Amino acid sequence: MIDTDAIKKNITVLDVLKNHPTHRVGHDYRCACPIHGGKDINAFSVYDNGTRWKCFSGDCGSGDVIAFVMAHQQID
């Protein structure tokens, strides 16, 4: 069984995005959406110390690191 609580505790969305260019805006990090491949560099936000994300330009949703990997890899 996969310990999703341990994953969420030890891996942030920012860790997963380490090779994707992000920039800081206040307490958040912004970038083009890596899920749908958007071009607006402010459309995707990572917040709550890197533990939560939200896409503002597509229908990608929001969530924690598990939800991000599932959306990015198109896993149900």
Side-chain angles (χ1 to χ4, degrees):
M1 174 166 270
I2 297 172
D3 186 352
T4 56
D5 289 334
I7 292 170
K8 291 179 203 178
K9 183 178 178 182
N10 294 297
I11 301 172
T12 68
V13 178
L14 288 175
D15 292 332
V16 177
L17 289 174
K18 68 181 175 185
N19 293 322
H20 192 80
T22 61
H23 63 279
R24 194 165 188 146
V25 177
H27 294 288
D28 302 343
Y29 289 85
R30 299 282 177 93
C31 61
C33 182
I35 297 169
H36 76 269
K39 297 185 192 264
D40 181 350
I41 63 169
N42 290 303
F44 187 87
S45 181
V46 180
Y47 56 97
D48 282 348
N49 295 319
T51 63
R52 307 287 301 169
W53 64 274
K54 179 168 178 62
C55 173
F56 294 98
S57 66
D59 192 20
C60 302
S62 62
D64 58 24
V65 68
I66 302 289
F68 174 78
V69 172
M70 290 176 68
H72 190 261
Q73 299 298 316
Q74 299 177 344
I75 300 169
D76 290 332

